[in-house]
């Protein structure tokens, strides 16, 4: 069988997107910030405090001396509705993308002559939906990055002046997520094109008969050796 370019593109990009989004989900570098601790009398330099947050884990690092501690997310950040929404969308996206890849692999069936185009395209639809959900989750998190889990003085929540204020910014896990989501969208879109069936040339001796190599409906083709009929590219 001849595996179409859209199938190959979908089968390559979809797992790559899944791996990148999964990597982003389990790493604690969605946002990071730093602040300098107060300098005591006689100290040569202030201590640099590095803080990073992910969806399920946060880390705190102090430089000079080098100390790092990670723990599951807790407190206002864990209870923030935007963080909970992002977690739910990412988990749903991973499940849909994994299911879509399984369906796409079953549908492509490069070991047989005729692929299951409907099954492959259905898998592509799931992968595309997963990519859109990931993009939505990343958009929500990025838009509210500096406000997630932070006290809001306008709502009467006091701010502790002793705690150093961090300058928060996007970190590496977010970029992995954006890249993986784009790969999911590309892979899912490519698999959707497998709904379109290929056009076969007509049989030379019977112009009204379609010369389909898979079913050998043309007598001139059916009399040839298999090596003259099939093109394997999977």
């Amino acid at each position: 069988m001849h595996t179409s370019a859209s199938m190959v593109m979908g089968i390559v990009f979809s797992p790559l997107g899944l791996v990148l989004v999964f990597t982003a989900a389990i790493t604690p570098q969605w946002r990071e910030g730093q602040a300098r601790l107060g300098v005591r009398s006689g100290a040569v330099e202030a201590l640099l405090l590095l803080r990073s947050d992910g969806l399920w884990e946060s880390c705190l690092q102090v430089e000079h001396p080098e100390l790092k501690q990670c723990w599951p997310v807790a407190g206002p950040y864990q209870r923030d509705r935007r963080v909970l929404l992002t977690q739910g969308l990412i988990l749903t996206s991973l499940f849909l993308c994994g299911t879509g890849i399984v369906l796409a692999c079953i549908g492509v069936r490069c070991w047989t002559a005729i692929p299951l185009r409907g099954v492959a395209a259905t898998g592509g639809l799931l992968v595309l939906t997963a990519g859109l959900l990931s993009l939505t989750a990343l958009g929500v998190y990025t838009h509210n990055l500096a406000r997630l889990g932070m006290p809001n003085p306008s709502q009467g929540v006091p701010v502790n002046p002793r705690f150093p204020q961090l300058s928060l910014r996007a970190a590496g896990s977010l970029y992995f997520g954006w890249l993986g989501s784009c790969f999911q969208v590309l892979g899912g879109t490519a698999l959707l094109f497998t709904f379109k069936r290929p056009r076969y040339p007509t049989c030379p001796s019977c112009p009204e008969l379609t010369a389909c190599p898979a079913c050998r409906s043309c007598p001139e083709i059916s009399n040839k050796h298999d090596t003259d009929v099939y093109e394997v590219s999977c």
Side-chain angles (χ1 to χ4, degrees), residues 94-114:
L94 292 174
F95 174 77
L96 290 179
C97 187
T99 305
I101 291 174
V102 172
L103 290 177
C105 292
I106 295 175
V108 170
R109 293 177 57 178
C110 64
W111 60 89
T112 61
I114 302 177

Side-chain angles (χ1 to χ4, degrees), residues 35-40 42-49 62-65:
R36 295 217 173 252
L37 302 179
V39 182
R40 295 182 179 180
V44 178
E45 60 179 348
L47 294 179
L48 181 61
L49 178 69
V62 179
E63 293 186 348
H64 309 298

Side-chain angles (χ1 to χ4, degrees), residues 13-202:
F13 283 169
S14 298
L16 182 58
L18 177 63
V19 171
L20 289 174
V21 173
F22 178 75
T23 301
I26 63 175
T27 50
Q29 282 83 32
W30 282 60
R31 69 175 186 180
E32 61 184 13
Q34 63 181 21
R36 295 217 173 252
L37 302 179
V39 182
R40 295 182 179 180
S41 59
V44 178
E45 60 179 348
L47 294 179
L48 181 61
L49 178 69
L50 302 177
R51 169 73 180 267
S52 62
D53 294 310
L55 293 183
W56 285 276
E57 190 179 36
S58 297
C59 292
L60 187 66
Q61 181 177 353
V62 179
E63 293 186 348
H64 309 298
E66 185 77 17
L67 297 173
K68 185 175 182 179
Q69 180 67 37
C70 296
W71 63 92
V73 292
Y77 179 80
Q78 181 189 24
R79 297 188 297 269
D80 194 298
R81 290 178 296 177
R82 293 159 294 192
V83 175
L84 295 175
L85 176 62
T86 303
Q87 291 175 344
L89 290 175
I90 290 295
L91 289 177
T92 305
S93 171
L94 292 174
F95 174 77
L96 290 179
C97 187
T99 305
I101 291 174
V102 172
L103 290 177
C105 292
I106 295 175
V108 170
R109 293 177 57 178
C110 64
W111 60 89
T112 61
I114 302 177
L116 300 177
R117 297 183 177 275
V119 177
T122 302
L125 180 61
L126 293 180
V127 174
L128 176 61
T129 304
L132 296 177
L133 290 178
S134 298
L135 289 175
T136 303
L138 292 163
V140 170
Y141 192 97
T142 304
H143 180 71
N144 302 282
L145 184 143
R147 300 187 295 270
L148 297 175
M150 295 298 174
N152 191 352
S154 62
Q155 297 179 354
V157 181
V159 179
N160 188 354
R162 296 184 178 180
F163 189 80
Q165 297 299 312
L166 301 177
S167 55
L168 296 171
R169 62 183 182 275
S173 297
L174 270 182
Y175 300 115
F176 276 110
W178 284 112
L179 184 60
S181 299
C182 293
F183 278 136
Q184 287 178 340
V185 172
L186 289 175
T189 303
L191 287 171
L192 282 177
F193 283 104
T194 59
F195 267 129
K196 184 179 180 181
R197 295 184 178 276
R199 294 182 179 180
Y200 297 107
T202 56

